[in-house]
Amino acid sequence: DENVPKNKMSDGTPLTYVLDDYRSALQEKAVEYGFTVIDGSELDLKTGTTEFLMFDDVHPNPAGHSLYAQLIYAEIEKHLSDL
């Protein structure tokens, strides 16, 4: 719907509130089960380069996905060095 701001769901709920809740729950379960969370929010996709790294102000474009892949690779390397 064109009348719904990009940063809100159709019912008016701010997206950041929903995403923050999701991230918190995911982090809690990861700690509980001993998993690592690779959080894309750690990436600086919105600071001054939104048009370069994101295609809709929420999801990464191919360049943003490449940066995210580098973050994932670096995390995997950390765990491999522990073996």
Side-chain angles (χ1 to χ4, degrees), residues 35-80:
F35 295 136
T36 299
V37 174
I38 301 172
D39 188 353
S41 69
E42 294 175 16
L43 296 175
D44 196 13
L45 297 179
K46 289 190 171 189
T47 304
T49 57
T50 301
E51 68 283 347
F52 176 62
L53 296 173
M54 302 183 78
F55 72 88
D56 64 358
D57 293 333
V58 177
H59 300 97
N61 64 17
H65 278 291
S66 177
L67 189 61
Y68 193 52
Q70 291 172 32
L71 177 69
I72 293 168
Y73 182 79
E75 192 63 36
I76 291 170
E77 276 191 314
K78 283 185 213 174
H79 291 281
L80 289 176

